[in-house]
Amino acid sequence: MMLLLKNARVVDANTDEKLDILIENGKIKKVEKEINLENVKVIDLSEYTVMPAFVEMHAHFRDPGFTYKEDLYTGSLAALRGGYTTVNMMANTNPIVSTPEVYEDIMKRGRELDLIDLFQVVSVTENFDGVNLVDYSKFDTPTLSDDGKGITTSYVLYEALKKAKEHNKLILIHAEDANISKIDYRLGEDLETIRDIEIAKALNTRLHFCHVSTVGSIEAIERAKKEGYPITCEVAPHHISLYDLEYKVHPPIRKKVDVDRLIKAIKDGVVDTIATDHAPHSPEDKAKGAPGMVGLESAFCISYTVLVKENGLDIKRLSSLMSKFGAETLGVNKGLIKEGYNADLVVVDLDKKVKIEAEKLVSKSKNTPFDQKEFYGEIKATFKDGIIKYGEDNL
């Protein structure tokens, strides 16, 4: 079946112009200034912008073990509402994803849902013990992480990076020295970031830093990149939009100076991707101090408003941050609006103001400090393989 999207402003990492998009059998067949065909379904998108669907490198779907907070189904619905068709899920479930049995069960159930493409991260160490490495050869996942915990023993990280390189896997690091962060959370992140970079440099191997939040950490990463090492990093929407706020997240909301430095790093090309660290919690768990916030449904409008409207970032760069890097890293045929790519697309109204309303989120959890705040950029519809999975009534 063929579908023709007409008159849209088409934006990806390389493009920003009015174009038509022809979709056939779930893939992009043509992208041209004008495509006219008979006997094909046409959707006029002259009022909207079409971008590649977003790719989330870092989310928590809590399944198995904590499905009262989120599960594969509700997490996937939240992703679609936020414009995402690919999500990389962290391993801190119950049981932790350290065995092929747990991994395969999650992947199988995700495929059966047929909503989005789900990737499951596998732990670096067995059950996050920080000592014993998982056998990476038993998993086809592209990424590994003990997210939520830093790997505090240098020898363990060295061996983990060496083995990850052997098996062509990327470690996503939570940079935190937990002993130091009890005293000084900023120092805890900065010290471990610097140490982890030095170990990765010694092995000349890839390493990806999760939710970078401080001036010191982003500047250390920038230095390593300028030296030519394959270091990559992500920042979260809340770390570029909030400061001096007592809302518990991990790492914490920082200072205005950190926000400004992260935005500069994004504009300078230092930051590789925006990742939400979507972290659903029940009201009871949040009241007890559980760190984190939901983020999939609000990531685009926050990022677009803060980066593009308020700080002059080229929207093509935003597309690269939200789609291209993640697609390339996870090895999916997405992230650009180009002939031969999967027709995973998001339709947005850049001029529409959006009020984030916690109670209207489709995630099971409503823990967000953005409740009742307004941003620009409404997600109108999300296409997965050329099929509208969210927002059909909006077009």
Side-chain angles (χ1 to χ4, degrees), residues 179-195:
N179 293 316
I180 293 293
S181 64
K182 292 172 188 173
I183 306 163
D184 185 332
Y185 215 138
R186 177 181 297 274
L187 186 61
E189 178 174 340
D190 291 350
L191 283 176
E192 190 136 328
T193 298
I194 293 165
R195 184 211 63 169

Side-chain angles (χ1 to χ4, degrees), residues 127-179:
N127 298 313
F128 294 176
D129 67 9
V131 177
N132 300 293
L133 300 184
V134 168
D135 185 349
Y136 306 153
S137 67
K138 293 182 178 180
F139 303 89
D140 61 8
T141 180
T143 57
L144 309 162
S145 185
D146 278 6
D147 181 61
K149 293 187 175 183
I151 300 171
T152 54
T153 303
S154 298
Y155 172 76
V156 174
L157 180 62
Y158 183 94
E159 288 297 311
L161 285 171
K162 188 167 71 171
K163 290 184 183 298
K165 186 176 184 178
E166 289 170 8
H167 295 287
N168 192 29
K169 299 190 186 301
L170 176 64
I171 289 181
L172 316 180
I173 204 79
H174 175 106
E176 180 194 355
D177 184 323
N179 293 316

Side-chain angles (χ1 to χ4, degrees), residues 236-263:
H238 49 273
H239 284 133
I240 57 171
S241 58
L242 300 174
Y243 54 90
D244 297 333
L245 180 69
E246 293 298 322
Y247 188 94
K248 190 167 184 181
V249 290
H250 196 189
I253 303 300
R254 301 294 189 179
K255 302 291 184 184
K256 181 68 161 55
V257 65
D258 299 294
V259 171
D260 291 343
R261 190 62 183 84
L262 291 177
I263 291 172

Side-chain angles (χ1 to χ4, degrees), residues 75-280:
S76 296
L77 292 182
L80 287 169
R81 186 170 183 241
Y84 291 85
T85 61
T86 310
V87 173
N88 200 34
M89 304 178 295
M90 288 294 160
N92 59 339
T93 51
N94 186 19
I96 291 168
V97 187
S98 297
T99 66
E101 292 76 19
V102 175
Y103 175 79
E104 292 297 342
D105 170 66
I106 294 168
M107 294 298 291
K108 178 176 180 290
R109 290 188 291 114
R111 286 190 297 269
E112 288 171 351
L113 283 174
D114 191 29
L115 288 172
I116 64 174
D117 291 327
L118 290 171
F119 283 76
Q120 178 58 60
V121 180
V122 170
S123 65
V124 174
T125 63
E126 293 180 6
N127 298 313
F128 294 176
D129 67 9
V131 177
N132 300 293
L133 300 184
V134 168
D135 185 349
Y136 306 153
S137 67
K138 293 182 178 180
F139 303 89
D140 61 8
T141 180
T143 57
L144 309 162
S145 185
D146 278 6
D147 181 61
K149 293 187 175 183
I151 300 171
T152 54
T153 303
S154 298
Y155 172 76
V156 174
L157 180 62
Y158 183 94
E159 288 297 311
L161 285 171
K162 188 167 71 171
K163 290 184 183 298
K165 186 176 184 178
E166 289 170 8
H167 295 287
N168 192 29
K169 299 190 186 301
L170 176 64
I171 289 181
L172 316 180
I173 204 79
H174 175 106
E176 180 194 355
D177 184 323
N179 293 316
I180 293 293
S181 64
K182 292 172 188 173
I183 306 163
D184 185 332
Y185 215 138
R186 177 181 297 274
L187 186 61
E189 178 174 340
D190 291 350
L191 283 176
E192 190 136 328
T193 298
I194 293 165
R195 184 211 63 169
D196 294 357
I197 287 171
E198 292 304 313
I199 294 172
K201 284 166 62 174
L203 292 164
N204 194 25
T205 190
R206 296 186 299 158
L207 180 60
H208 179 85
F209 285 90
C210 296
H211 43 53
V212 180
S213 70
T214 67
V215 171
S217 290
I218 199 63
E219 289 185 346
I221 291 165
E222 183 172 24
R223 288 192 296 272
K225 282 173 165 272
K226 285 180 176 176
E227 291 168 3
Y229 291 99
I231 302 297
T232 57
C233 70
E234 69 193 43
V235 298
H238 49 273
H239 284 133
I240 57 171
S241 58
L242 300 174
Y243 54 90
D244 297 333
L245 180 69
E246 293 298 322
Y247 188 94
K248 190 167 184 181
V249 290
H250 196 189
I253 303 300
R254 301 294 189 179
K255 302 291 184 184
K256 181 68 161 55
V257 65
D258 299 294
V259 171
D260 291 343
R261 190 62 183 84
L262 291 177
I263 291 172
K264 182 180 186 301
I266 289 170
K267 295 177 76 173
D268 290 346
V270 177
V271 175
D272 298 278
T273 188
I274 290 171
T276 68
D277 194 7
H278 177 80

